[in-house]
Amino acid sequence: MTLTQSPVATADEQLTEALLSGTPCPPVRDVLGDDLVSAYTVQELGIQRRTERGARRVGRKVGLTSPAVQKQLGVDQPDFGVLLDEMQVPADGIVTGHRLIAPRVEAEIAFILAEDIDDPDPETVRRAVDYAASALEIVDSRISNWDIGIVDTVADNASSGLFVIGEQRVKLSEFVPADVTMTLTRNGEEASRGNGAACLGDPLNALVWVAQTAADLGRPLRAGEIILSGALGPMIPFLPNEPIEATITGLGTVRAVLNQEKP
C-alpha cells in the first residue's frame, strides 16, 4: 500500500489481481481490519469493475447460513454476494474455461423472483417468489488456502465462484423448503447430506434476510433475480473429472463436473 492508497483500494487491487490471474492473495483483513462496511465497499467495487467489462447482475447469494460456520468465523449473521451472468453454468453442469483457484461445491435451493421486493417482510417475500429449483454453488476463494474471516469473504464477493440451476421448477405451494432433504454425491458415492433446516432454520429465512439487507443498502431485489439461499449441508472439494450430483426432495437433481484434463 502506498502512502496515498486507502485500505479499500489496496484490498480491491489484491482481489482483482487474484481473480484475473488465478493466483490467490493474502487475507485482506490484514489491511481492512474488522471493518465490515469497508469489506462490502470492496465487494461492490469488484462487481462494478466486472459489469463495466460486460457482465450483468442476475441475483444474490446468501452465505454463512450455518450456525457452525458463523461460530467458526465469530459472526452472528449471514453475508451476501452478487451473482453475475458470467457465473452461471449451463444446466448440463459442465464447467470449462473458468479460472478457479480452490473450488468447493455445495447444494442449495435457488429462488427465482417474479416481483420486485421494495418493502420486505416474510409474506411479501414469499409472494414475490415465482418458483424454486435445486442448485449447486461452486464457491471459490481468492484468499490463499481459504484462510478467511468474515471481512475476507465479504470483500471477496462472499467467496462466490459459479452456480448451476436445476431444470425442474417448483412453486412454493408445492413443497416446504424447511422440510427438504439433500444428498450430494461425487462419482456416484455420497459425499454430503443435509436438510432445509440447516439453512437458517428455513431457506425462506435466508431469502427474507437478504431482501431486507439489500433494501437497506439501496439495492433491493428485483423481479427475475436468482437468489441462492445458502448451503443445505457441508461443502466438498470440486475436483476435476469427478461428477457431482445433488438431489433435493421435491426439487429434483442438479449436476456439475469440472471438465479438465488430468495431469
Side-chain angles (χ1 to χ4, degrees), residues 10 86 96 121 171:
T10 299
E86 64 186 15
T96 57
D121 62 60
K171 297 291 186 180

Coordinates of all heavy atoms in Angstrom, one line a residue, residues 10 86 96 121 171:
T10 N -6.4 -0.9 -1.6 CA -5.4 -1.9 -1.6 C -6.1 -3.3 -1.6 O -5.7 -4.2 -2.4 CB -4.6 -1.8 -0.3 OG1 -3.9 -0.6 -0.3 CG2 -3.6 -2.9 -0.2
E86 N -22.1 -14.1 -16.0 CA -20.9 -14.9 -16.3 C -20.6 -16.0 -15.3 O -19.7 -16.9 -15.6 CB -19.7 -14.0 -16.5 CG -19.3 -13.3 -15.2 CD -18.2 -12.2 -15.4 OE1 -18.0 -11.9 -16.6 OE2 -17.6 -11.8 -14.5
T96 N -16.1 -25.5 -17.9 CA -14.9 -25.4 -18.7 C -14.5 -23.9 -18.9 O -15.3 -23.1 -18.9 CB -15.1 -26.0 -20.1 OG1 -16.1 -25.3 -20.8 CG2 -15.4 -27.5 -20.0
D121 N -41.1 -8.1 3.9 CA -41.5 -8.8 5.2 C -41.8 -10.2 4.7 O -41.8 -10.5 3.5 CB -42.7 -8.1 5.8 CG -44.0 -8.2 4.9 OD1 -44.4 -9.3 4.5 OD2 -44.5 -7.1 4.5
K171 N -43.3 -24.5 -7.6 CA -43.9 -23.4 -6.9 C -43.8 -23.6 -5.4 O -43.8 -24.8 -4.9 CB -45.4 -23.3 -7.3 CG -45.6 -22.9 -8.8 CD -45.1 -21.5 -9.1 CE -45.5 -21.1 -10.5 NZ -45.1 -19.7 -10.8

